Amino acid sequence: MTAGVVAWILLLAVAAYACGGGVDYGAGFWDLVAGGTERGERPRWLIDHAMEPVWEVNNVWLIFVFILMWTGFPVFFEAVFSAMWLPLALAAVGLVLRGAGFALRKPTRRLARRRIYGAVFAVSSLLTPFFLGAAIGGVASGRAAPGVTASAEVWANTTSVIAGLLAVAATAFLGAVFLTADARRFDARDLEIYFRLRAWCALVVVGVLALIGLATTHKHTSYVYHGLTHGLGLLLVLLSLAAAVATAWLVVGRAGWARFSSVAAVALVIAAWGTAQRPYLVPTSLTVQQAAGATRTLQWLILVTAIAIVLVGPALFLLYRLDTRGLLEAQTDADVEGGPVLPDTPAS
């Protein structure tokens, strides 16, 4: 019972990071494909201003996931990090470079260096979710079992590659939806249309990859496939589909509400995945009970988590609330000498 509670907390933490950090990775993706200096100036301006106040806070969820793994499920933690140390290390490198690139891009005066830092930020935002998704695919496919030796087959298989691409597409979808709402907040009509179109395109790509992933799961991971197509797992998948359709409609005139529906769409998919593979952490070789730590440790972990939610939760909610209302501006262009200014007319 205690191990099951901690497992659900772990799944919720993964969903929180996917939806929170995913917005930032998605913004980095759109930064990467925004175009040249002139064409991409306005989209990158919005990305900078939208991400500045709270983007670093989202990494708290990733740290929380790791703490839950090694404290609550040490056998699972050892299996995952032993079998897939390379993609996880590459994701960590991308995470560091992403932060450095974003932090150094704006205050840098020379255009050449700004381009370098911007490229580092954008490419890292693409690679990090891919490798994290590939690691999740390795777990879901059952390849990251205890005792498995690290190899490319564990994380570079078909299931992992599709999961990595799906992670990139989902983060791009979240980023585009959030940036559409931010464009409205900044009264940038052209950018609102710009990112709305990209939200629709990303949603189509997510749908296609999800169907491919379901077919791949049917072939390589029959246990998870059965869980996704029956019972509670199927219900969660259908609810995610409904949330995605609602997002496509809300992003037109109610982009603020589309934030919530887009987060629901991604979170419900993650919940469906967790439900589909229960009672396993690694199908079909490691159950939640087999991987769990000592009962007393799990009890303390639940208590500490509850205290953290009470103490930190309201602060995070307030931070996000202030940001979405436009009351947080960490830095303006006028604060940075030689920084870019928002052009009066859209770039062609």
Side-chain angles (χ1 to χ4, degrees):
M1 178 64 180
T2 305
V5 172
V6 176
W8 280 109
I9 294 174
L10 176 61
L11 187 66
L12 290 173
V14 171
Y17 183 65
C19 295
V23 174
D24 299 334
Y25 293 132
F29 175 85
W30 297 121
D31 186 295
L32 179 65
V33 299
T37 303
E38 182 179 353
R39 180 182 177 185
E41 182 177 4
R42 283 179 64 80
R44 292 189 177 103
W45 172 88
L46 180 64
I47 290 169
D48 283 349
H49 283 258
M51 290 178 63
E52 280 176 346
V54 301
W55 72 282
E56 191 63 36
V57 177
N58 293 322
N59 290 323
V60 171
W61 298 113
L62 183 61
I63 297 171
F64 187 49
V65 168
F66 289 157
I67 292 175
L68 286 174
M69 284 181 64
W70 78 57
T71 306
F73 306 101
V75 177
F76 178 54
F77 181 84
E78 179 184 5
V80 170
F81 277 80
S82 297
M84 296 186 293
W85 65 268
L86 182 57
L88 292 173
L90 292 173
V93 170
L95 189 67
V96 173
L97 292 177
R98 169 177 167 270
F102 182 80
L104 295 174
R105 177 173 67 176
K106 190 165 186 176
T108 302
R109 299 180 181 179
R110 295 184 179 180
L111 179 60
R113 291 184 179 179
R114 287 176 60 84
R115 287 176 174 173
I116 293 175
Y117 292 137
V120 169
F121 159 67
V123 173
S124 299
S125 294
L126 178 66
L127 296 179
T128 300
F130 174 81
F131 284 118
L132 289 176
I136 291 176
V139 172
S141 64
R143 290 179 171 86
V148 171
T149 304
S151 66
E153 173 60 23
V154 178
W155 62 273
N157 54 81
T158 304
T159 304
S160 293
V161 171
I162 295 299
L165 293 175
L166 186 58
V168 173
T171 57
F173 165 63
L174 287 171
V177 171
F178 274 60
L179 286 168
T180 301
D182 285 323
R184 172 166 293 191
R185 172 160 60 93
F186 286 107
D187 197 25
R189 177 63 178 172
D190 61 303
L191 291 179
E192 184 180 349
I193 298 173
Y194 177 93
F195 282 110
R196 180 193 304 154
L197 176 61
R198 280 149 182 79
W200 285 335
C201 293
L203 182 57
V204 171
V205 173
V206 169
V208 172
L209 287 174
L211 291 176
I212 296 174
L214 191 62
T216 302
T217 303
H218 178 52
K219 181 178 180 180
H220 298 284
T221 316
S222 58
Y223 186 89
V224 175
Y225 175 82
H226 183 272
L228 289 173
T229 55
H230 294 79
L232 181 57
L234 176 60
L235 175 61
L236 293 172
V237 170
L238 294 176
L239 289 175
S240 174
L241 177 61
V245 173
T247 302
W249 175 68
L250 289 171
V251 78
V252 176
R254 300 182 179 182
W257 286 103
R259 290 175 182 259
F260 297 101
S261 59
S262 64
V263 166
V266 175
L268 286 168
V269 167
I270 295 174
W273 159 56
T275 300
Q277 68 178 44
R278 60 178 182 170
Y280 294 99
L281 286 176
V282 180
T284 52
S285 59
L286 184 65
T287 66
V288 171
Q289 294 296 332
Q290 291 171 342
T295 302
R296 183 59 61 88
T297 300
L298 295 174
Q299 291 173 346
W300 275 105
L301 191 59
I302 293 174
L303 177 61
V304 171
T305 300
I307 294 174
I309 291 174
V310 172
L311 296 179
V312 180
L316 289 177
F317 175 79
L318 178 62
L319 183 62
Y320 284 117
R321 187 65 174 171
L322 292 174
D323 178 45
T324 55
R325 286 179 172 267
L327 300 177
L328 288 180
E329 286 298 332
Q331 184 171 268
T332 64
D333 292 331
D335 296 327
V336 182
E337 183 179 354
V341 296
L342 179 66
D344 294 332
T345 58
S348 57

